[in-house]
Amino acid sequence: MTAYLITHSSGFTETAEGLVELEQMLPVPGEAQDRLMAGETVTLDSFLGQSEVREVKVGRKSQARMTG
């Protein structure tokens, strides 16, 4: 799964799971989307100031099963 790590200018970090969630959190122009998908780190403007965004790969969450 692809996730995006967002580092705000205040030092606060958060993760968006996929491009759709990222776009709900920050305005992402088309050019920035292309650069993100190419693996680049992009700087976006938001109401919190400038934020750096980069793609991170995350593994699937393990699912524990209970037997009984």
Side-chain angles (χ1 to χ4, degrees), residues 3 5-6 8-10 12-13 15-16 18 23 26-27 30-31 53 61:
L5 180 65
I6 305 163
H8 298 285
S9 56
S10 65
F12 175 71
T13 60
T15 305
E23 290 177 322
L26 291 170
E31 178 187 328
V53 181
K61 293 181 183 176

Side-chain angles (χ1 to χ4, degrees), residues 11-12 43 52 58 61 64:
F12 175 71
T43 301
E52 283 194 353
V58 292
K61 293 181 183 176

Side-chain angles (χ1 to χ4, degrees), residues 4-64:
Y4 296 93
L5 180 65
I6 305 163
T7 305
H8 298 285
S9 56
S10 65
F12 175 71
T13 60
E14 59 186 327
T15 305
E17 294 184 9
L19 194 56
V20 172
E21 187 172 300
L22 175 62
E23 290 177 322
Q24 292 172 350
M25 299 166 83
L26 291 170
V28 184
E31 178 187 328
Q33 286 180 19
D34 294 342
R35 290 177 55 209
L36 279 170
M37 289 189 283
E40 294 181 38
T41 298
V42 298
T43 301
L44 301 174
D45 292 318
S46 72
F47 65 94
L48 295 173
Q50 290 192 328
S51 303
E52 283 194 353
V53 181
R54 67 182 175 95
E55 181 181 24
V56 291
K57 300 288 184 185
V58 292
R60 300 179 100 178
K61 293 181 183 176
S62 61
Q63 296 179 349

